Amino acid sequence: MSASVTPEQLKALEDSLLNTTGNVPLHIRFRALFTLKALKSEEAIKIISRCFQDPSALLKHELAYCLGQMKKTSALPVLETVLKDVNEDPMVRHEAAEAMGAISSADSIPTLKQFLSDPERAVRETCEIAIDRIEWEQSEEGKRALDTQKVERHIPLYTSIDPAPPTSKLLFGAPKPEDVSQESIDILKSQLLDKERPLFERYRAMFTLRNIGSPAAVDALASGFSDDSALFKHEIAFVFGQLLSPHSVPALLNVLRDVNESDMVRHEAAEALGGIGTPEVFPHITEWMNREDAPQVVRESCQVAIDMWEHENSGAFQYANGLEATPAQVAVA
Ligand SMILES: [Fe+2]
Ligand SMILES: [Fe+2]
């Protein structure tokens, strides 16, 4: 994808994201957003920031996610405003706090601390993890890890900036599944499920299991769906959306169909299923996109998931202008 665009192209992306005509389908707005994210420019940050007036919580949480992934401190003021707005949807506030963690500026710590006892559990838990993440990046281990990554030019397995790094021994790359014993997986699983540990540490086990990625690791991750933290469970579903293992489909379908599950977790399961794109997924995401009794965020996520599924199954390599992000390129938050 080109890193520079003409002013006309930028305007077209802005019109698409902001839906200035009033008839741009949501999944097309998502594609415009991911193209802007890839540009990583200050203009792109400004355009994305303008879209927080939108009524769709799904779209707004994705705006915050993208701003975090762009890792520019110029996005911090708008993210702080979103986090501080107690009338904003908690899923959007959560994503704003997580984005502040991804940008990882020590200046964000006082603001994040203000929300450690927020009435919304997902918000306070995210702030806790974001603070730990920022402190980790500035710790000896964190600094060493970032230096090693630069010097040895490690190409990360996943390009996302994650809320927590894998455990120290497996900071870089993925071991071959045959080199990982069931015993190691069991240890990671017990760390993942241990509610006595800080969430940041449990997340480190989660991202380690993601990097291992074998069916046994997927099973260990799926056991996290029995947790009582919606935040924790939605992150498991997010990780499944990155892993794209057909082995995770039954667990994700259970989440999507569970009307007692939180919207945030079901939304993430829907998008992960769209990315995996196996045939048995399609009837379920279609059903939940059309179910009038489903929460809006679940229906909209299924709409985005269908776009991803169709792309996954179309054999298309790229879109006509080569500029537009394809749904398969995006790891939606
Ligand atoms: Fe999230
Ligand atoms: Fe999400």
Side-chain angles (χ1 to χ4, degrees), residues 61-62 91 95 234 267-268 271 333:
H61 104 297
E62 207 67 44
M91 189 169 89
E95 211 65 49
H234 107 296
H267 126 73
E268 213 68 63
E271 290 181 358

Side-chain angles (χ1 to χ4, degrees), residues 51-97:
C51 197
F52 279 106
Q53 307 303 327
D54 201 85
S56 166
L58 183 75
L59 181 68
K60 285 188 284 188
H61 104 297
E62 207 67 44
L63 302 174
Y65 173 76
C66 287
L67 289 175
Q69 297 294 306
M70 290 161 92
K71 210 171 168 51
K72 290 231 186 339
T73 51
S74 53
L76 286 174
V78 70
L79 291 169
E80 281 185 20
T81 305
V82 173
L83 172 61
K84 286 176 179 171
D85 181 1
V86 292
N87 297 317
E88 183 51 275
D89 187 289
M91 189 169 89
V92 183
R93 294 178 65 218
H94 132 72
E95 211 65 49

Side-chain angles (χ1 to χ4, degrees), residues 213-215 218 239-250 252 272 275-276 278:
S214 61
V218 168
V239 159
F240 281 161
Q242 291 188 301
L243 257 174
L244 302 179
S245 165
H247 194 70
S248 66
V249 167
L252 287 167
I276 295 168
T278 49

Side-chain angles (χ1 to χ4, degrees), residues 2-63:
S2 159
S4 62
V5 283
T6 63
E8 293 74 31
Q9 286 173 316
L10 198 63
K11 179 77 176 73
L13 287 166
E14 175 172 10
D15 287 345
S16 182
L17 177 66
L18 301 183
N19 188 16
T20 45
T21 59
N23 56 12
V24 186
L26 188 65
H27 63 277
I28 300 297
R29 301 178 70 191
F30 263 67
R31 292 191 195 182
L33 171 59
F34 280 93
T35 306
L36 288 163
K37 170 185 161 227
L39 295 176
K40 284 198 168 169
S41 64
E42 291 303 322
E43 293 105 311
I45 289 176
K46 280 192 199 126
I47 294 170
I48 294 172
S49 304
R50 259 180 241 138
C51 197
F52 279 106
Q53 307 303 327
D54 201 85
S56 166
L58 183 75
L59 181 68
K60 285 188 284 188
H61 104 297
E62 207 67 44
L63 302 174

